[in-house]
C-alpha cells in the first residue's frame, strides 16, 4: 500500500484545510516529520487511520473530539486520502459526526451524521464504490488484509513501545502478541479440552463409583444370605472375598432347602385330599337342604304372585298414555298465561291510545305489525340525523375559538412590529463601533509568534548550558581513559623490553647437562647466564595478555572519544542557535511578550464580544420579522375560517329545524316515537302468542282422547284408577320377581348332580359331617400348609440369593467391559489436556496459544535480526528463547547473541543506543510478520517514531543505512524525530507548526493539492 495524497480539514488540531502530497514529499524515499510536541504530528497518522477504518487508533478509539475546536463555526470536519493497493487506486473521504449550527434548532445546533465515500480510479475516471460508513472500512480492510490495530502497528513503528516489549517478561509479552496475532481458535481448543476433560472426569468418577457400589452390593447380598442361613464364613467382610466360594456355598444351601421343601409338600397334599373329601360331603348335603327350603317358600307365595301380575298389567297400559295427558294439561296452562299477558299489554295500549278498539283476531294482528314497522322506519330516520345536532355544537365552539384566535394573532403582529423597531436602533449603534476581527486576530497571532520565538530562545539557552556540562563530563571521561591507555602502553613496552633482556637467562634455564645447546650445539655448559637476584622471568603469555589489555583499553578510549566528539558537536550546534543571549535576558523577553499577548487577546475578545452581540441582534431582528409575517398570515387565515364556519352553521340550523317538526330537539321526538313503537310491538307479540297457544290446546285435547280410548279406558277416571303409586308398584314387582326366581332355582337344583348324589347318600344312610370333625381336619391341614410354606420360602430365598449372585457377577463383568474404554479414554484425554494447558509432560509449561505465539515470535526475531545485524555491523542478533524457567510459563523469551564474545546476553544489559536498534528491528520484523500472516499487501509507506537521540554518530550511520535499505522496492519512509542532525541528513521535511488558531502543515517540496469533495 502506498499513500499518495492526504487532505485534512477541521480535524484535530488543524483548524483549516491542510494538504500533503506524499508522492513529492517522498520522492527521495525518505522524509522527516518534524514539529514541536503537541503540534499534531500524530494527528496526521490519526487522519490516515480514520480515513481507512473510520476510527482513531489505540486508546483514542471512540473519541468524539475529532472536529477541531479552532475551526470556523460552520466548517465541516473532513479527511480525504488517496492511496493505491497493488495496481488499484482508491480515494476515501470521511466526515465524522459533528454539531452543525442551525437556525431552526432550539439549542442553535443540530447533529450532522458521519459520512463516508469510497471511489476507485478505473479506466481514466473515478467510479463510486460505496457511501456506507461500515462498508467503506470493510472494503479497504479486506483489500489491505489488516484490521485497524494491525494496520497501526505495521504502518507506524513506535520505538518506545517496542523497547518495553524487548525487556518485558514472558507473560507481558504474551499479552501484546495475542492482540496482534489472533489465537482465539487455539484458546477455544484449550477451552474445549478443559470442558471435555471436566465432562469425562465426572463421567469416569460416576462409573468408578458405580462399579465399586455394584461389587459391594453383590458381595453383601451373598454373604448376608449365607449368614441368615446360619453359615459362618471366615473373612466374609474382606473386599477380596472369592465370588466362586460364595457361589459354591449358596448352591449347597439351595439343594438342602429343596429336599426339605419336597418332603413337606407330600405331607401337605395328603392332608389337603382328606379335608377336601369332608368339605365335598358337607357341600352336597347343604345343596339338598337348600332345595327343600325353596320348594316350601315357592308354594306359600303362589296366590299373591298371580294377583300382583294382574295389577301390574293394568298399570302398564295407564302409564303408556300419560305423556299425552301431560301435553294437554301443559297446553291449558300456556293458554291461561298468554291470555293474562295479552290483557296486560292491551290495557297499556288502550291507556296510550284510548280512541283505539282492540279485537283479538288475526286481522288485528296484521294491522299492529304494519303500524309497528312504519314507526320503526321513522325511528331510523331520526337516529341517523342525531350526529347533525352534535356537529352543530362543535361548529359553534369552533366559531368561538376562531374569533378569539383572530384577536390574539392581531396582538402578536403588533408586538413583533414594535420589537423590530427597537432592534433596528440597537443594530445601528453597534455597527457604528470598531468591529475589525481580522486586525485583532492578526495582532494576537503576531504576539503569539513573538512569544513562541522567545520561548524557543529560552529553551535553546537552557540546552546550550546542558550540552556544555555534558561536553565537559565527556571530556573528563575521555582524559581518564586516555591516561589509562598510556599507562597500559608503558607497561607493555616495559614487559617487551624485559622479555628481550631475559632471553639468555630463559635459554640457560632450559639447558640439561649432556644435551646439546639450542644455540651453539655444545653438550657442556660451563657458564650459563642467570637472571638478576629477585627478578622474575617474563614469558610470551604475559606479554600477550598485556597487549590484549592495551587493545581493549584503546577500543574503550575510542568509544569515549566518539561520545566526546558527538557531545562537542551537539554543544556547538546549540551554541550557534542560542548565540550570546543569557538565560535572564531570554526569560525577560518571554515576560515582555507574554504581557503583549495578553493585551492583544483582550482586544480580540472585546471585538469578538461586540461582533457576537451584533450577530445576536441581527438574528433576533430576523426572528421578529418572521414572527410578524407569521402572525399576519395566521390572522388572515383565522378571519377566513370564521366566515366559513358562520355560513356552515346557518345551513345546519335550517336542516335541523325541518327534521324536529315542532319538537324542541331530535332527542325529544325520538323518545316519543320510541314509546309508541314499544306499545305497538308489545301488543303485537302478546296477541300472536295468545292465538298460537289456543290453537295448540285444541290439538293436544284431541290427541289425548284418541290415545286413551285406544288402550281401553272409557274416561279419565278409569285411567287414573289403574295407575299405581310408585311404592306399591315396586312392592308388586319385587313380589313377582321373587316368585319367578324361586321357581327357576327349584328347577335347577332338582336337576343338579349335587342334589342327586345327596339323595343317593341319604338313601344309603349317610348324613352330613358335624362341625367338630370339620374343625379338627381343617386345623391339621393348616398346620401341614404352614410347614410346607416355610420350607418353600427358605428354598426360594436360597435359589434367589444364588441367582442374584450369578446375575450380579455377570452384570459387573459386562459393566467393566463396557466402561473400560471410557476410563482409558479419560486417562488419555487427561494427559493430553494437561499438555495443552501447560502441565504434565509439557516441559516448557506452554499453553497451546502460547506455543503458537512462540512460533510467531520466532519468525519476528528472525526478521528483526536481518535489520539488527546491518545496524550493529553484524555484531548483534535476536533469538527466540524457550528455556524452561522452573514452574513459570516460558517459551516467549528474547535474548541477544553477541558475535564478538560468542555469548548470549539478557536484553536488559543493552545500552540505550543498542536498545533503540534492537527495538526498531523488532518493530520492522513484526510489521513484516503481521503482513505475511494476515495476507496483507506490501506496505510501501511506513512511519518510524522518535528514538534517534540516544544514538552516537557511528550507530546513527548504521541505523540510517538500515532505513535506506527499507526504501528498496520503492518504499517511502517517514521519520518522526527532533534530532537536529536528522534535519541535516534528511532534506525532504514535513513540518507541523502549532499556534493558538490551530496547527498548520508546510513542506519544502512542491505540493500537489488533493481537493476535498
Amino acid at each position: 500500500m502506498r499513500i499518495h495524497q492526504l487532505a485534512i480539514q477541521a480535524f484535530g488540531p488543524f483548524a483549516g484545510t491542510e494538504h500533503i502530497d506524499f508522492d513529492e514529499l517522498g520522492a527521495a524515499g525518505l522524509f522527516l516529520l518534524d514539529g514541536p510536541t503537541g503540534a499534531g504530528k500524530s494527528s496526521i497518522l490519526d487522519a490516515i487511520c480514520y480515513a481507512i477504518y473510520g476510527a482513531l487508533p489505540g486508546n483514542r478509539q471512540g473519541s468524539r473530539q475529532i472536529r477541531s475546536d479552532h475551526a470556523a463555526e460552520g466548517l465541516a470536519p473532513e479527511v480525504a486520502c488517496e492511496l493505491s493497493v497493488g495496481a488499484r487506486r482508491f480515494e476515501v473521504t470521511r466526515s465524522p459526526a459533528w454539531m452543525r449550527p442551525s437556525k431552526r434548532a432550539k439549542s442553535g445546533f443540530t447533529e450532522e451524521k458521519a459520512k463516508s465515500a469510497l471511489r476507485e480510479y478505473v479506466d481514466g475516471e473515478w467510479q463510486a464504490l460505496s457511501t456506507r460508513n461500515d462498508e467503506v472500512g470493510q472494503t479497504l480492510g479486506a483489500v489491505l488484509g489488516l484490521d485497524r490495530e494491525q494496520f497501526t502497528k505495521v504502518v507506524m513503528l513506535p520505538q518506545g513501545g517496542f523497547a518495553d516489549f524487548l525487556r518485558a517478561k514472558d507473560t507481558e509479552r504474551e499479552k501484546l502478541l495475542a492482540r496482534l496475532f489472533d489465537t482465539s481458535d487455539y484458546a477455544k481448543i484449550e477451552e474445549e479440552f478443559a470442558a471435555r476433560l471436566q465432562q469425562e472426569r465426572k463421567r469416569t468418577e460416576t462409573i468408578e463409583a458405580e462399579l465399586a457400589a455394584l461389587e459391594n452390593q453383590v458381595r453383601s447380598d451373598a454373604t448376608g444370605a449365607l449368614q441368615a442361613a446360619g453359615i459362618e464364613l471366615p473373612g466374609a467382610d474382606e473386599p477380596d472375598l472369592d465370588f466362586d466360594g460364595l457361589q459354591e456355598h449358596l448352591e449347597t444351601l439351595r439343594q438342602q432347602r429343596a429336599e426339605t421343601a419336597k418332603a413337606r409338600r407330600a405331607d401337605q397334599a395328603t392332608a389337603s385330599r382328606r379335608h377336601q373329601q369332608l368339605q365335598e360331603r358337607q357341600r352336597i348335603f347343604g345343596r339338598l337342604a337348600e332345595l327343600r327350603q325353596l320348594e316350601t317358600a315357592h308354594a306359600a307365595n303362589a296366590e299373591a304372585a298371580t294377583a300382583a301380575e294382574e295389577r301390574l298389567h293394568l298399570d302398564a297400559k295407564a302409564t303408556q298414555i300419560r305423556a299425552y295427558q301431560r301435553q294437554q294439561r301443559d297446553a291449558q296452562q300456556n293458554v291461561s298465561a298468554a291470555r293474562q299477558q295479552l290483557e296486560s299489554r292491551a290495557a297499556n295500549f288502550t291507556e296510550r291510545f284510548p280512541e283505539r278498539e282492540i279485537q283479538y283476531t288475526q286481522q288485528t294482528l296484521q294491522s299492529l305489525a304494519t303500524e309497528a314497522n312504519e314507526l320503526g322506519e321513522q325511528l331510523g330516520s331520526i337516529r341517523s340525523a342525531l350526529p347533525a345536532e352534535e356537529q352543530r355544537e362543535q361548529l359553534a365552539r369552533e366559531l368561538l375559538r376562531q374569533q378569539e384566535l383572530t384577536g390574539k394573532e392581531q396582538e402578536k403582529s403588533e408586538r413583533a412590529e414594535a420589537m423590530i423597531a427597537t432592534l433596528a436602533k440597537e443594530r445601528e449603534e453597534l455597527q457604528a463601533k470598531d468591529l475589525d476581527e481580522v486586525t485583532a486576530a492578526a495582532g494576537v497571532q503576531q504576539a503569539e509568534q513573538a512569544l513562541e520565538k522567545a520561548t524557543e530562545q529560552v529553551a535553546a539557552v537552557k540546552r546550550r548550558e546542558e550540552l556544555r556540562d555534558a561536553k565537559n563530563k565527556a571530556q573528563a571521561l575521555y582524559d581518564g581513559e586516555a591516561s589509562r591507555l598510556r599507562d597500559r602502553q608503558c607497561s607493555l613496552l616495559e614487559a617487551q623490553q624485559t622479555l628481550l633482556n631475559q632471553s639468555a637467562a630463559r635459554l640457560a634455564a632450559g639447558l640439561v647437562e649432556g644435551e646439546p645447546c639450542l644455540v651453539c650445539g655444545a653438550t657442556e655448559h660451563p657458564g650459563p647466564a642467570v637472571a638478576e637476584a629477585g627478578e622474575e622471568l617474563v614469558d610470551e603469555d604475559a606479554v600477550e595478555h598485556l597487549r590484549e589489555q592495551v587493545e581493549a583499553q584503546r577500543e574503550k578510549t575510542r568509544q569515549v572519544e566518539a561520545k566526546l566528539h558527538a557531545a562537542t558537536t551537539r554543544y556547538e550546534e546549540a551554541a550557534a542557535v542560542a548565540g550570546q543571549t543569557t538565560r535572564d535576558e531570554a526569560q525577560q523577553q518571554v515576560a515582555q511578550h507574554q504581557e503583549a499577548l495578553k493585551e492583544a487577546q483582550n482586544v480580540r475578545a472585546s471585538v469578538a464580544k461586540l461582533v457576537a452581540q451584533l450577530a445576536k441582534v441581527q438574528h433576533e431582528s430576523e426572528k421578529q420579522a418572521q414572527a410578524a409575517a407569521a402572525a399576519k398570515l395566521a390572522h388572515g387565515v383565522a378571519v377566513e375560517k370564521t366566515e366559513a364556519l358562520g355560513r356552515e352553521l346557518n345551513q345546519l340550523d335550517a336542516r335541523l329545524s325541518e327534521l324536529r317538526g315542532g319538537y324542541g330537539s331530535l332527542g325529544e321526538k325520538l323518545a316519543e316515537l320510541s314509546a309508541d313503537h314499544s306499545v305497538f310491538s308489545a301488543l303485537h307479540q302478546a296477541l300472536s302468542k295468545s292465538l298460537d297457544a289456543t290453537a295448540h290446546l285444541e290439538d293436544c285435547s284431541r290427541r289425548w282422547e284418541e290415545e286413551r280410548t285406544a288402550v281401553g279406558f272409557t274416561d279419565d277416571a278409569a285411567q287414573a284408577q289403574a295407575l299405581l303409586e310408585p311404592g306399591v308398584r315396586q312392592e308388586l314387582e319385587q313380589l313377582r320377581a321373587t316368585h319367578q326366581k324361586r321357581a327357576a332355582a327349584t328347577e335347577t337344583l332338582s336337576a343338579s348332580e349335587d342334589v342327586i348324589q345327596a339323595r343317593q347318600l341319604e338313601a344309603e344312610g349317610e348324613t352330613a359331617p358335624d362341625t367338630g370333625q370339620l374343625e379338627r381336619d381343617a386345623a391339621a391341614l393348616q398346620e401341614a400348609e404352614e410347614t410346607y410354606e416355610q420350607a418353600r420360602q427358605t428354598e426360594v430365598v436360597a435359589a434367589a440369593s444364588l441367582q442374584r449372585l450369578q446375575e450380579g457377577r455377570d452384570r459387573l463383568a459386562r459393566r467393566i467391559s463396557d466402561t473400560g474404554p471410557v476410563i482409558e479414554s479419560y486417562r488419555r484425554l487427561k494427559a493430553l489436556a494437561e499438555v495443552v494447558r501447560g502441565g504434565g509432560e509439557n516441559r516448557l509449561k506452554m499453553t497451546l496459544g502460547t506455543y503458537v505465539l512462540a512460533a510467531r515470535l520466532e519468525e519476528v526475531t528472525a526478521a528483526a535480526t536481518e535489520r539488527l545485524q546491518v545496524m550493529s555491523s553484524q555484531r548483534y542478533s535476536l533469538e527466540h528463547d524457550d528455556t524452561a524457567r522452573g514452574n513459570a510459563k516460558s517459551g516467549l523469551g528474547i535474548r541477544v547473541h553477541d558475535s564478538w564474545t560468542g555469548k548470549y546476553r539478557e536484553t536488559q544489559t543493552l545500552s540505550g543506543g543498542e536498545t533503540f536498534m534492537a527495538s526498531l528491528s523488532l518493530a520492522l520484523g513484526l510489521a513484516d510478520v503481521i503482513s505475511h500472516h494476515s495476507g496483507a499487501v506490501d506496505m510501501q509507506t511506513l512511519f518510524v517514531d522518535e528514538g534517534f537521540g540516544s544514538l552516537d554518530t557511528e550507530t546513527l550511520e548504521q541505523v540510517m543505512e538500515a532505513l535506506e535499505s527499507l526504501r528498496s522496492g520503492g518504499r517511502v519512509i517517514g521519520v518522526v524525530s527532533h534530532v537536529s542532525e536528522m534535519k541535516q541528513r534528511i532534506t525532504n521535511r514535513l513540518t507541523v507548526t502549532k499556534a493558538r488558531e490551530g496547527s498548520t502543515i508546510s513542506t519544502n517540496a512542491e505540493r500537489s493539492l488533493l481537493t476535498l469533495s
Side-chain angles (χ1 to χ4, degrees), residues 525-539:
H525 316 294
V530 295
E532 295 182 3
E535 183 181 19
E536 295 182 359
L537 295 179
V538 177
D539 56 10

Side-chain angles (χ1 to χ4, degrees), residues 673-684:
L673 290 177
S674 297
D676 292 348
H677 182 266
S678 178
V679 170
F680 271 94
S681 297
L683 181 58
H684 174 268

Side-chain angles (χ1 to χ4, degrees), residues 12 64 150 210 222 521 533 548 624 646 685 689-690 699 737 752 762 768 780 911 913 922 933 987 995 1000:
R64 298 183 63 87
Q150 291 174 328
E210 177 187 349
E548 290 177 354
Q624 292 299 327
Q685 183 180 7
K689 186 175 181 182
S690 177
D699 185 56
S752 66
E762 188 177 31
S911 66
L922 267 178
H933 282 284
T987 57
T1000 57

